[in-house]
Amino acid sequence: MPKIRARLLAVLVVLCGSLTVAGSTPATAAVPGSLPFDGTALTVSNGRFVDAGGREVVLRGYNVSGESKLAENSGLPFASVADARTSATALRALGGGNSVRFLLSWAYAEPVRGQVDTGYLAAATAQMGAFLDAGIRVYPDFHQDLYSRYLFNTGSWYTGDGAPAWAVQLGGYAQESCGICLFWGQNITQNSAVTAAQRDFWHNAYGLQDAFLATAQQTMTYLRQNLSAEQFAGVVGFDPYNEPYAGTYDSGQTSRSWERDLLWPFYVKFRARMDTAGWQDKPALVEPGLFWNSNISTQKQEGGLLDAGTLGSRYVLNTHFYDQKAISGILMWGNASDGQYAGDFAAVRDRAAAAGTTAVVSEFGHPLSGTVAGKAPTVLKAMYQALDSRVPGASWWTSPSGSGPVLSGSQWQWDLYNGRHHEPMNGNTGKVKTSGDAWNDEDLSAVRLDDNGTVTLRQDARLLDRVYPSATAGTALAFTYEDRSRDGSTTLTWNPVPSTLPNVAQLVGSGQYGLLVWRSGSGSAPTELHLPASFPTAATTVVSDLGTVFGPPAYPAGAPVAAGLEPGGTGSRRLLLTDSDSGVTHYALVTNGATAPSASLLSAARSELNSWLAARF
């Protein structure tokens, strides 16, 4: 039977994933549905993630998951590998993701000082493998919030995660207290136990930082040795430390000098540990000080690793963004609007460019319950809009060349168990948390399991499952996507096709559309855009200088515009655009708005877009 199954698998792989362009040699696909140019390791070059074919890669996905902050599954994102597989399938098919930030816990990796728990690492590796086997890229993150859950007692109002109990015991910290704190995040700066513990870590008191680095090295070595070569190629890099903050500054120290003198040297040490563990070809995804890009002026602190020099290919600027004004319910009364976060995300692009690297917004999101939940549809739409382009929708068609690079990002979060937890808060069996994310009253998960155990989106699918350029053969010059997501019964349209392009507007109608402009490179692999479930192939229209088509043919067929499956066997699809030149500016508009458009309408729309491209680029 094993031999029969192996032969059947080989046949399926050939049928589903190993077809290549004419004249090339078929390759056996490591992941169902993959093509020869899929799954290669990413590096950082010229300020972008690039694959082995030289294509610019954009990572979009979710954090997996805040469950790692809880004790109920022993610091793992999932209760089982089976649940991880279920999540990986749904994340691709429902959420449109091609990557995850995979949370790990220092407390569970090193429960006893100097002793790494290989059982925990084995379980984490197996769960990580479920995503890698589905063709989803992964970057692990040693996560912490408020330093450690062990700073908090069974009667505390809040909790933390991160450092193990032995690390807290060494400090002998006073009983934690945040005073009158309305939000858990206030503990970061107001809880003296938390600030003291953070300060001790950054000053390597009791050898805490040395212990963490040793555990990180052993963790990375274990992952490299226990993932297959194909799986390890899908690991993007490593996020050393979530949301770093000084705790308290030394006399005369500023947020900027703290980054220079304490945070950056830590990252250099972590980078050396990556090299020793065999991760020398993968970047460290380093986070600046937590408050460097806060949108509340009283919280904002100078930072952004300004004194680290050129980061280059060895590091990636890794940052978070939450609209604290919107979350406060006081500092922003209304909803978000077109271009709301263009400036905030432009600052991320600019800082990454100045540092000579690429950027990833590894956390963004908004509460889905509570008094400010009503803002979520507009806040999240505006955040995705800002990831796509630095130009607001109202001015995108007239100023597309100002778009900047498409940013990678991971929404917080993807938690299968949302609303179904069983977490004794701080070990208190009389205080079992079941609702939301079961951690400090947060509720941000994009998904949950329904009563039948089926993964169900909690947000508008049009918002989450998006067109985006997952791989660009050359350089992406501009991109926009009008998702037509909804705020209740209201359809949000922030980037309508202008009346100066009447045939394009007729083609799009009330549908969704995406438009990519790129300059071709010298590689042989095609440009790819993710096609959401709302873009069934038979009802998808593409207008490009490469050709026009309604219902793109299957790839490969020698056609410059075609559609194919995405890796993973989930049925998710991608648009593949093949050019045969280098240094030429191309465009492709993809929409689900038209129903069997006429050849004359397609031709007229192409003519309009050709003229628009010539005028704007």
Side-chain angles (χ1 to χ4, degrees):
M1 286 298 292
K3 290 183 179 179
I4 293 173
R5 283 196 296 269
R7 289 170 183 159
L8 287 173
L9 178 60
V11 171
L12 286 172
V13 167
V14 169
L15 290 175
C16 298
S18 65
L19 295 173
T20 61
V21 293
S24 63
T25 302
T28 301
V31 176
S34 65
L35 293 163
F37 42 78
D38 293 328
T40 62
L42 299 186
T43 55
V44 178
S45 178
N46 296 320
R48 305 289 193 274
F49 285 117
V50 296
D51 65 11
R55 300 183 300 174
E56 293 183 357
V57 171
V58 171
L59 304 174
R60 289 289 176 87
Y62 303 84
N63 281 265
V64 176
S65 88
E67 174 74 12
S68 301
K69 299 183 181 186
L70 308 180
E72 63 181 4
N73 285 331
S74 302
L76 293 165
F78 301 99
S80 65
V81 175
D83 281 0
R85 291 196 188 101
T86 296
S87 212
T89 298
L91 189 141
R92 174 77 90 175
L94 299 179
N98 66 358
S99 62
V100 295
R101 181 175 182 241
F102 191 100
L103 274 60
L104 297 171
S105 169
W106 179 20
Y108 287 93
E110 189 187 7
V112 177
R113 184 165 193 171
Q115 297 180 25
V116 172
D117 185 344
T118 55
Y120 172 76
L121 296 185
T125 302
Q127 293 187 10
M128 202 177 295
F131 288 87
L132 295 165
D133 288 344
I136 295 172
R137 297 187 187 273
V138 171
Y139 57 106
D141 153 51
F142 260 124
H143 208 80
Q144 72 79 39
D145 295 282
L146 308 184
Y147 189 68
S148 174
R149 65 176 298 167
Y150 299 105
L151 284 172
F152 298 83
N153 59 59
T154 55
S156 293
W157 288 10
Y158 300 101
T159 190
D161 67 284
W166 61 260
V168 171
Q169 291 164 2
L170 287 171
Y173 305 109
Q175 183 169 324
E176 63 81 20
S177 174
C178 192
I180 302 175
C181 287
L182 300 179
F183 306 101
W184 73 260
Q186 291 174 268
N187 284 268
I188 298 170
T189 57
Q190 293 178 221
N191 190 321
S192 60
V194 173
T195 58
Q198 291 177 113
R199 185 185 186 281
D200 279 351
F201 179 84
W202 296 113
H203 285 80
N204 198 25
Y206 318 108
L208 289 168
Q209 196 175 114
D210 292 339
F212 175 83
L213 289 168
T215 296
Q217 180 180 326
Q218 291 182 69
T219 298
M220 289 185 284
T221 299
Y222 188 95
L223 289 170
R224 180 181 59 80
Q225 292 176 344
N226 290 277
L227 292 170
S228 70
E230 292 82 4
Q231 289 174 326
F232 192 58
V235 177
V236 177
F238 209 106
D239 182 346
Y241 197 91
N242 179 69
E243 297 184 352
Y245 179 64
T248 56
Y249 295 116
D250 296 337
S251 177
Q253 192 176 56
T254 65
S255 56
R256 179 169 178 171
S257 63
W258 174 79
E259 280 194 351
R260 181 193 66 207
D261 298 337
L262 291 174
L263 181 59
W264 182 247
F266 166 75
Y267 286 147
V268 172
K269 293 175 186 175
F270 195 96
R271 174 71 264 180
R273 299 282 185 157
M274 290 179 70
D275 295 346
T276 302
W279 291 54
Q280 59 269 25
D281 296 327
K282 300 181 185 294
L285 288 75
V286 294
E287 301 186 32
L290 173 59
F291 298 111
W292 85 277
N293 64 338
S294 171
N295 71 338
I296 297 179
S297 59
T298 55
Q299 288 186 352
K300 192 176 183 67
Q301 298 183 5
E302 186 180 26
L305 303 176
L306 295 170
D307 301 299
T310 300
L311 302 185
S313 62
R314 303 266 287 165
Y315 300 90
V316 167
L317 182 74
N318 172 12
T319 190
H320 298 172
F321 184 80
Y322 293 93
D323 186 347
Q324 296 298 334
K325 291 181 180 179
I327 291 174
S328 74
I330 299 171
L331 300 176
M332 187 186 106
W333 287 98
N335 289 336
S337 58
D338 176 28
Q340 182 95 12
Y341 307 117
D344 299 295
F345 285 62
V348 175
R349 288 180 172 90
D350 291 343
R351 183 68 205 108
T357 189
T358 189
V360 57
V361 183
S362 62
E363 282 189 31
F364 64 94
H366 190 83
L368 299 181
S369 63
T371 58
V372 299
K375 300 177 187 292
T378 57
V379 166
L380 285 161
K381 179 179 173 74
M383 288 180 177
Y384 274 111
Q385 180 193 52
L387 286 171
D388 290 343
S389 171
R390 64 193 295 158
V391 180
S395 52
W396 191 89
W397 283 94
T398 55
S399 305
S401 59
S403 288
V406 182
L407 287 175
S408 295
S410 298
Q411 184 176 329
W412 186 273
Q413 65 162 327
W414 190 275
D415 177 15
L416 285 187
Y417 315 111
N418 176 270
R420 295 174 176 270
H421 291 283
H422 188 88
E423 174 70 6
M425 185 176 178
N426 297 314
N428 187 342
T429 55
K431 197 176 183 181
V432 176
K433 296 292 185 178
T434 59
S435 63
D437 301 335
W439 192 85
N440 286 338
D441 295 324
E442 287 200 329
D443 185 12
L444 285 87
S445 178
V447 294
R448 65 177 179 85
L449 294 175
D450 66 14
D451 291 341
N452 297 317
T454 303
V455 183
T456 305
L457 294 180
R458 301 179 64 225
Q459 297 168 277
D460 188 350
R462 291 184 166 226
L463 170 74
L464 299 179
D465 190 11
R466 311 174 60 80
V467 172
Y468 62 93
S470 52
T472 302
T475 302
L477 302 177
F479 175 71
T480 190
Y481 180 53
E482 178 49 75
D483 57 37
R484 312 270 194 189
S485 57
R486 294 170 175 79
D487 180 8
S489 61
T490 302
T491 298
L492 303 171
T493 302
W494 292 352
N495 190 0
V497 178
S499 59
T500 52
L501 301 169
N503 291 290
V504 176
Q506 180 182 342
L507 192 68
V508 170
S510 60
Q512 300 164 287
Y513 78 88
L515 177 55
L516 173 67
V517 179
W518 77 98
R519 183 179 297 112
S520 59
S522 56
S524 59
T527 290
E528 299 182 25
L529 288 91
H530 169 70
L531 288 177
S534 58
F535 281 69
T537 306
T540 293
T541 301
V542 181
V543 178
S544 170
D545 66 297
L546 300 174
T548 60
V549 62
F550 175 70
Y555 181 91
V561 180
L565 294 176
E566 287 180 315
T570 63
S572 59
R573 292 151 302 103
R574 50 184 159 172
L575 181 70
L576 298 115
L577 306 161
T578 305
D579 57 60
S580 57
D581 47 44
S582 179
V584 177
T585 301
H586 298 284
Y587 72 85
L589 173 113
V590 53
T591 181
N592 59 5
T595 301
S598 66
S600 60
L601 178 59
L602 290 174
S603 177
R606 184 180 184 186
S607 230
E608 287 179 350
L609 287 170
N610 285 341
S611 299
W612 169 82
L613 186 79
R616 301 302 176 191
F617 291 88

